[in-house]
Amino acid sequence: MADVTTPNLAQAEETISEKGASIATPRQLMWWKFKKHRIAMFSAIILILFYVIALFADFIAPTNPEKFNASTKFVPPQTISFINAEDKFSLRPGVYGLIEERDPETLRRSFKIDKTIWHPIYFIVHGDSYKFWGLWESDIHLFGLDKASGGVLFLLGSDRLGRDMLSRVIHGGKISLSIGLLSVFLSLILGIVLGGLSGYYGGAVDNIIQRVIEFIRSIPSLPLWMALSAALPPGWPQTLRYFGITIILSILGWTGLGRQVRGRFLSLRNEDFVLAARLSGARDFRVIIQHMVPSFMSHIIASLTLSIPGIILAETSLSFLGLGLRQPVISWGVLLQEAQNIRTVALAPWLMLPGLAVVITVLAFNFLGDGLRDAADPFGR
Amino acid sequence: MFVFIVRRVLNAIVTIFVISIVSFIIIQLPPGDFLTSYAASLKAQGDTIAPQQLDALREAYGLGQPVHIQYLKWVGKMLRGDFGQSLEWQLPVNKLIWSRLMLTILVSASSILFVWAVAIPIGVFSATNQYSFGDYIATFLGFIGLAIPNFMLALVLMWVGFSVFGQDVGGLFSPEYQSAPWSWGKFTNLLGHLWIPMLVVGTSGTAGLIRTMRANMLDEINQPYVETARAKGLSENRLTWKYPVRVALNPFVSTAGYALPELIGGVVITAVVLNLPTIGPILLRALLSQDMFLAGAIVMLLSILTVIGTLLSDIVLALIDPRIRLD
């Protein structure tokens, strides 16, 4: 059989090169396959957008997330309108003014739209000053109202201190989105090292590591996360706390990855190319890093992507409970903490909107991971 | 079968032993022993405690002794059903948590039943009607369920209950039954409240299991034995439920064991939002006030609960699948 097919194959390759066509590399095949997965492509675009927004949060957020104003507490989300105060259509979007009202009986404050005042929204506008990436001062924002107009812009409403929710959600993304990446990176290191040891050497090492993984997976993670983060010293500065939480999340989160890596190692251990590398005198470390890891990296990236949502959800849950990050740090979980009280939620349901950001991010990561998993195996059906 | 069960039980005992060490570490983690923080909190309230009394307490808990002796004392007491003293509540820990533990088990068990009752039929449907409209809907809903954090769903349900029906949907009992002794009325009242936590906890678990069930079914559905049964003229419905589903359930049961830890975690956080009289809120409070004996005991009990649940699911699995017990 082999004698018959080989020349055919050689012939085929010859005809291809004669026609000037090139042979696709595995990377190209993966990219083509990934492109076919529409939802995954869409999710990738959304996620890139989210990360860009988080990266330029200072510039994109219309106001300083900490700027409070007692007279604008619990303003409901404003709608953008293209009809200005003179009832004429304007190409420039704007928001109407607000009148504060007080119910004479319950004394509850509420805001009514005042259609006689219309504040246009300008793009690239001077607003609150900030230090861009901690490097230079600036007060340019992507969009916002004219400072002199005296109007307010709360596209996602305002919280109990009159702070702009949109700006806070944008700034919260910095923490919530980065903690997922950082934690997954740590899990990856743990997973590759421990899973690799387990799968490459087998025997007693494998047994011990497998028992550890089984143990971690058999206990409920949320109570353990809660207990460990409660044990972080309360006097720690926020950055240290951030890293502490990240480490706790990855210590408990590497197990799934470790299993995957082990499985790959087990199946690759007896492959010819690994044997060849070993026979040519490569040391274990080199065999693992140079020969084995690249051959399953695409699978690992796919399962990494699939494990980010769990970490984002865990951080959000911990912060929501008050055990994770704390004020004045802004993360989506910290923001949701404000929505813990049902009476507050009934009064200001828009405080739950940071949850929507969490859901969209998690969904997008799940779809993206699904697409990557399919693409990781470009020869599959 | 007997050997299998013995091996599993031994395994579980080892796991519980390791859990006890982890829980003990959790108790020890905060800086200073808990009596220092106890004295500090008393001082903050304007109370003082006599140094002699403090020393007596220290003696009683064996705090001056080396760590391994402290650990043995703690485990020994626990084996006799004494989980130590909650500093915040000034009550023995086991008095505080038994009734809550029972309700936690109830909520968890009913959530598992909910998850199975929903995930199995939908998973089977998704597989037998692969790439149909219904399959896509099920997959999409599954993803959504996976993406919504438990507490978010609880919050939204509470908000809807509050703003649409004008009532508080939290808790497990109506106010009039809260401290009443058990009766038929209290029981039905409980059932009326149970469905919300069940739904909230179940949604996230369901999503994963639908996908597992669907994948298992897809593996089985093209096997020759299915074709044989079909060739013999069995109706499609009977055929599906009688043959491939039974085989596909095996990996399902084993993953159910892994789903359990997540489920219990879900019950904890949902209980905090919905203010259920289960173990979740008390764990949170204990952790926030660094009441570590209580917190350690709760983490320990929740973990043991999970291990027992996993053990049961393993045994069930061995009962329905001879390949596993003969392994």
Side-chain angles (χ1 to χ4, degrees):
Chain A
M1 270 294 268
D3 294 338
V4 187
T5 48
T6 323
N8 275 353
L9 199 69
Q11 219 166 24
E13 268 176 31
E14 222 162 76
T15 46
I16 286 170
S17 54
E18 267 169 25
K19 280 179 188 163
S22 58
I23 295 168
T25 62
R27 202 164 293 202
Q28 275 172 317
L29 284 173
M30 284 180 199
W31 170 238
W32 291 338
K33 179 127 191 199
F34 180 70
K35 266 203 302 193
K36 268 199 240 162
H37 202 305
R38 290 246 181 81
I39 306 177
M41 270 303 272
F42 183 65
S43 303
I45 292 168
I46 292 213
L47 285 174
I48 290 172
L49 197 71
F50 272 27
Y51 275 93
V52 167
I53 289 177
L55 206 56
F56 297 100
D58 288 315
F59 167 65
I60 291 170
T63 56
N64 180 342
E66 298 298 342
K67 193 173 83 176
F68 57 90
N69 184 351
S71 62
T72 54
K73 283 190 278 190
F74 293 127
V75 174
Q78 290 170 300
T79 42
I80 293 175
S81 153
F82 290 93
I83 311 288
N84 65 17
E86 284 94 49
D87 237 354
K88 292 212 182 83
F89 177 80
S90 129
L91 203 56
R92 181 171 289 287
V95 289
Y96 290 118
L98 295 167
I99 312 174
E100 192 182 336
E101 280 187 338
R102 213 175 258 277
D103 191 308
E105 276 174 44
T106 59
L107 292 180
R108 186 194 262 185
R109 290 154 18 112
S110 64
F111 289 92
K112 226 183 100 182
I113 292 172
D114 177 6
K115 289 211 168 182
T116 58
I117 306 173
W118 184 78
H119 301 292
I121 295 174
Y122 295 102
F123 291 91
I124 314 293
V125 70
H126 290 282
D128 300 328
S129 64
Y130 55 87
K131 210 157 188 190
F132 190 72
W133 289 353
L135 292 177
W136 62 83
E137 290 280 335
S138 166
D139 63 349
I140 307 282
H141 290 261
L142 179 64
F143 64 97
L145 301 184
D146 186 15
K147 247 203 264 185
S149 72
V152 287
L153 180 66
F154 293 124
L155 293 180
L156 293 185
S158 72
D159 70 356
R160 75 190 150 81
L161 293 179
R163 295 174 292 196
D164 176 30
M165 282 302 283
L166 177 63
S167 301
R168 288 177 75 74
V169 170
I170 288 176
H171 277 269
K174 284 196 293 194
I175 301 283
S176 293
L177 290 170
S178 67
I179 213 163
L181 285 191
L182 200 62
S183 209
V184 147
F185 181 69
L186 288 179
S187 310
L188 172 71
I189 294 175
L190 276 173
I192 288 201
V193 170
L194 293 173
L197 284 176
S198 194
Y200 191 78
Y201 292 108
V205 181
D206 181 33
N207 216 340
I208 293 172
I209 294 177
Q210 284 314 303
R211 289 294 88 75
V212 171
I213 291 182
E214 240 164 59
F215 171 71
I216 295 181
R217 298 197 78 150
S218 68
I219 50 180
S221 48
L222 189 74
L224 205 59
W225 271 325
M226 286 165 68
L228 287 176
S229 32
L232 290 180
W236 274 14
Q238 292 292 346
T239 37
L240 214 55
R241 208 179 164 75
Y242 171 83
F243 286 115
I245 301 273
T246 314
I247 290 170
I248 290 172
L249 292 181
S250 44
I251 283 179
L252 295 175
W254 65 275
T255 53
L257 216 63
R259 284 224 150 155
Q260 280 249 331
V261 174
R262 170 179 178 264
R264 294 281 155 192
F265 266 100
L266 280 181
S267 63
L268 283 178
R269 200 162 54 168
N270 302 322
E271 288 282 333
D272 290 344
F273 72 91
V274 174
L275 189 67
R278 210 174 297 158
L279 285 180
S280 344
R283 267 172 300 169
D284 285 352
F285 184 73
R286 193 182 158 79
V287 173
I288 291 175
I289 295 298
Q290 284 286 326
H291 299 277
M292 293 173 89
V293 171
S295 69
F296 60 73
M297 206 54 213
S298 50
H299 291 268
I300 297 299
I301 290 174
S303 42
L304 270 182
T305 314
L306 285 173
S307 60
I308 293 177
I311 291 169
I312 292 181
L313 286 179
E315 185 275 326
T316 311
S317 307
L318 281 181
S319 302
F320 173 75
L321 290 175
L323 291 168
L325 299 163
R326 283 169 199 171
Q327 303 261 20
V329 168
I330 309 173
S331 82
W332 291 336
V334 173
L335 291 179
L336 281 170
Q337 218 185 333
E338 303 261 323
Q340 223 173 24
N341 185 334
I342 183 65
R343 294 195 186 273
T344 321
V345 172
L347 187 71
W350 54 90
L351 289 180
M352 291 192 290
L353 283 173
L356 197 63
V358 175
V359 172
I360 293 175
T361 311
V362 168
L363 262 182
F365 267 117
N366 275 329
F367 285 130
L368 175 67
D370 244 27
L372 286 177
R373 193 171 47 193
D374 288 350
D377 189 10
F379 302 107
R381 70 192 158 96
Chain B
M1 186 68 192
F2 179 72
V3 178
F4 172 82
I5 291 181
V6 168
R7 220 174 44 208
R8 283 284 137 172
V9 169
L10 284 180
N11 224 332
I13 289 175
V14 173
T15 315
I16 288 175
F17 169 69
V18 183
I19 287 172
S20 75
I21 294 180
V22 172
S23 310
F24 185 69
I25 293 175
I26 287 173
I27 293 177
Q28 297 285 321
L29 267 181
D33 61 47
F34 73 92
L35 282 181
T36 356
S37 56
Y38 178 47
S41 73
L42 277 184
K43 205 172 267 174
Q45 289 164 18
D47 258 343
T48 47
I49 183 167
Q52 296 94 318
Q53 205 182 338
L54 212 55
D55 284 340
L57 277 172
R58 195 157 274 154
E59 186 65 31
Y61 286 108
L63 287 176
Q65 286 156 330
V67 178
H68 61 276
I69 306 271
Q70 283 187 44
Y71 169 73
L72 287 179
K73 267 198 167 171
W74 181 69
V75 170
K77 274 189 177 171
M78 209 156 48
L79 287 178
R80 275 174 270 130
D82 175 8
F83 286 91
Q85 191 86 7
S86 159
L87 293 172
E88 200 198 349
W89 301 70
Q90 292 293 340
L91 278 171
V93 167
N94 49 10
K95 263 203 183 137
L96 266 172
I97 53 182
W98 272 126
S99 66
R100 287 171 174 265
L101 195 64
M102 288 307 140
L103 287 174
T104 308
I105 294 176
L106 180 75
V107 174
S108 314
S110 53
S111 303
I112 293 174
L113 289 182
F114 172 80
V115 168
W116 282 359
V118 174
I120 295 177
I122 295 184
V124 169
F125 171 83
S126 272
T128 48
N129 300 286
Q130 200 189 2
Y131 302 130
S132 69
F133 183 66
D135 180 25
Y136 282 122
I137 292 279
T139 310
F140 185 70
L141 285 182
F143 267 120
I144 298 254
L146 215 56
I148 299 181
N150 276 316
F151 68 86
M152 231 8 245
L153 192 59
L155 263 180
V156 171
L157 275 181
M158 275 186 88
W159 173 57
V160 170
F162 194 84
S163 56
V164 178
F165 304 105
Q167 59 172 2
D168 194 350
V169 295
L172 275 182
F173 303 103
S174 304
E176 67 267 27
Y177 284 110
Q178 223 136 48
S179 48
W182 280 100
S183 63
W184 181 246
K186 185 169 180 174
F187 181 68
T188 48
N189 185 260
L190 172 67
L191 288 187
H193 281 83
L194 195 58
W195 66 273
I196 288 184
M198 199 169 88
L199 193 74
V200 171
V201 178
T203 330
S204 59
T206 311
L209 287 182
I210 286 178
R211 292 193 72 75
T212 316
M213 191 65 205
R214 178 174 179 271
N216 294 344
M217 274 301 280
L218 286 177
D219 283 345
E220 292 303 325
I221 221 161
N222 295 320
Q223 300 277 338
Y225 71 88
V226 179
E227 205 57 38
T228 312
R230 190 172 289 134
K232 284 185 165 184
L234 222 59
S235 80
E236 201 61 23
N237 222 353
R238 256 191 89 188
L239 163 88
T240 311
W241 289 97
K242 199 157 177 198
Y243 298 105
V245 169
R246 276 172 59 182
V247 184
L249 271 178
N250 294 344
F252 186 81
V253 176
S254 68
T255 45
Y258 281 122
L260 199 61
E262 268 172 52
L263 205 88
I264 300 243
V267 173
V268 168
I269 192 164
T270 308
V272 172
V273 179
L274 291 176
N275 199 13
L276 305 182
T278 59
I279 227 157
I282 216 174
L283 170 65
L284 180 63
R285 239 182 104 173
L287 287 172
L288 287 175
S289 63
Q290 302 246 315
D291 188 352
M292 292 323 267
F293 261 107
L294 184 54
I298 291 176
V299 169
M300 171 105 196
L301 283 175
L302 282 180
S303 309
I304 290 178
L305 207 67
T306 318
V307 170
I308 292 175
T310 315
L311 180 70
L312 289 182
S313 88
D314 277 350
I315 292 175
V316 170
L317 178 61
L319 280 177
I320 61 174
D321 189 356
R323 284 172 302 183
I324 286 172
R325 57 176 184 261
L326 293 176
D327 185 15

